Amino acid sequence: MASSSGQRLLRYDRRLGVRFVAGADEAGRGSLAGPLVVAGVLFDYASLHGHRTRPLALLNDSKQVDPEIRETLLRAVLQAAAHVSVRVIPACDIDRNGLHRSNLSGLRDVLTDLAPRAEVSLVDGFRLGPLAPPHSAVVDGDTRSAAIAAASIVAKVTRDRIMRRLDALHPRYGFSRHVGYITPFHSAAVREHGPCEQHRLSYAAKCYAAEGLEPAA
């Protein structure tokens, strides 16, 4: 019988041969509006077995999981993890500090938050510099490591929930439909109404082309 995606990801982490494995990932890097959400998840592999792993059978990169299953997996991750940390970086901070710097800072912060300190910390694709806890960058890590995939789920579900709340505050932009990413509808709404305070004005988006465009109330 073929193993599930979750079993494959858990095996990757177990082969590291340590008890505490942390993973970190983010959601919303390419979004035109809304925050960047960064999550860190710590698994204790001394206690993560049997009935505690079964709910993680469908664990995978959040982009490969349907929204309903992501919600179920979030509950499974929160029950299975030894510790979870989430940082929400608003659009104004991204504009002030830059996307890449904001992302690296958030990833450093969530790994630092996790306790007890992981013996191995894994990050999806990025080296975080000397200020971060010791870590390894894993290319396509959210499809290889259970800890990174779990962080991906936490970040994605958290951000989608935030964007649905922002849709109620700024209904003209359809945030619940596209969660802040560039779509024809989103671009047309920005051209018609101007950007709101949730838009990342530092991005070179075509829908910002009009000179003197200011955030709408």
Side-chain angles (χ1 to χ4, degrees):
M1 182 181 297
S3 63
S4 67
S5 58
Q7 290 172 328
R8 174 177 55 80
L9 297 171
L10 289 163
R11 281 199 300 270
Y12 179 93
D13 287 5
R14 290 188 190 280
R15 284 197 294 266
L16 298 171
V18 299
R19 176 176 176 179
F20 291 105
V21 178
D25 199 6
E26 81 288 320
R29 274 181 59 84
S31 179
L32 183 66
L36 179 71
V37 177
V38 185
V41 172
L42 179 69
F43 282 143
D44 176 1
Y45 279 95
S47 61
L48 192 59
H49 49 73
H51 71 280
R52 297 193 67 197
T53 64
R54 282 193 286 275
L56 298 172
L58 297 178
L59 183 62
N60 207 339
D61 169 18
S62 63
K63 296 184 293 295
Q64 299 186 25
V65 180
D66 290 338
E68 297 80 8
I69 296 176
R70 287 200 295 261
E71 291 281 349
T72 300
L73 283 170
L74 175 66
R75 293 190 290 272
V77 168
L78 295 178
Q79 291 172 358
H83 195 178
V84 173
S85 174
V86 177
R87 296 293 182 105
V88 178
I89 303 168
C92 59
D93 286 0
I94 295 170
D95 285 340
R96 182 184 306 114
N97 301 318
L99 174 66
H100 188 60
R101 182 179 296 177
S102 298
N103 189 32
L104 297 188
S105 176
L107 291 166
R108 284 194 295 267
D109 287 344
V110 295
L111 289 181
T112 301
D113 289 342
L114 297 174
R117 181 60 60 87
E119 295 163 272
V120 173
S121 294
L122 306 174
V123 181
D124 186 25
F126 293 103
R127 294 288 302 168
L128 307 181
L131 298 179
H135 62 282
S136 297
V138 182
V139 177
D140 296 327
D142 45 12
T143 64
R144 299 172 65 186
S145 160
I148 297 178
S152 172
I153 292 290
V154 172
K156 176 61 175 170
V157 174
T158 300
R159 189 176 187 279
D160 285 357
R161 290 177 177 179
I162 291 171
M163 295 308 296
R164 287 194 293 271
R165 291 197 292 270
L166 291 176
D167 183 71
L169 296 174
H170 305 279
R172 296 181 294 190
Y173 301 97
F175 288 152
S176 63
R177 296 168 56 179
H178 49 67
V179 294
Y181 287 89
I182 296 176
T183 66
F185 176 90
H186 190 186
S187 296
V190 172
R191 291 191 190 97
E192 180 177 357
H193 303 294
C196 73
E197 62 192 19
Q198 297 300 327
H199 283 92
R200 304 175 187 178
L201 300 181
S202 57
Y203 281 28
K206 291 182 179 179
C207 57
Y208 291 164
E211 292 185 7
L213 206 56
E214 295 291 340

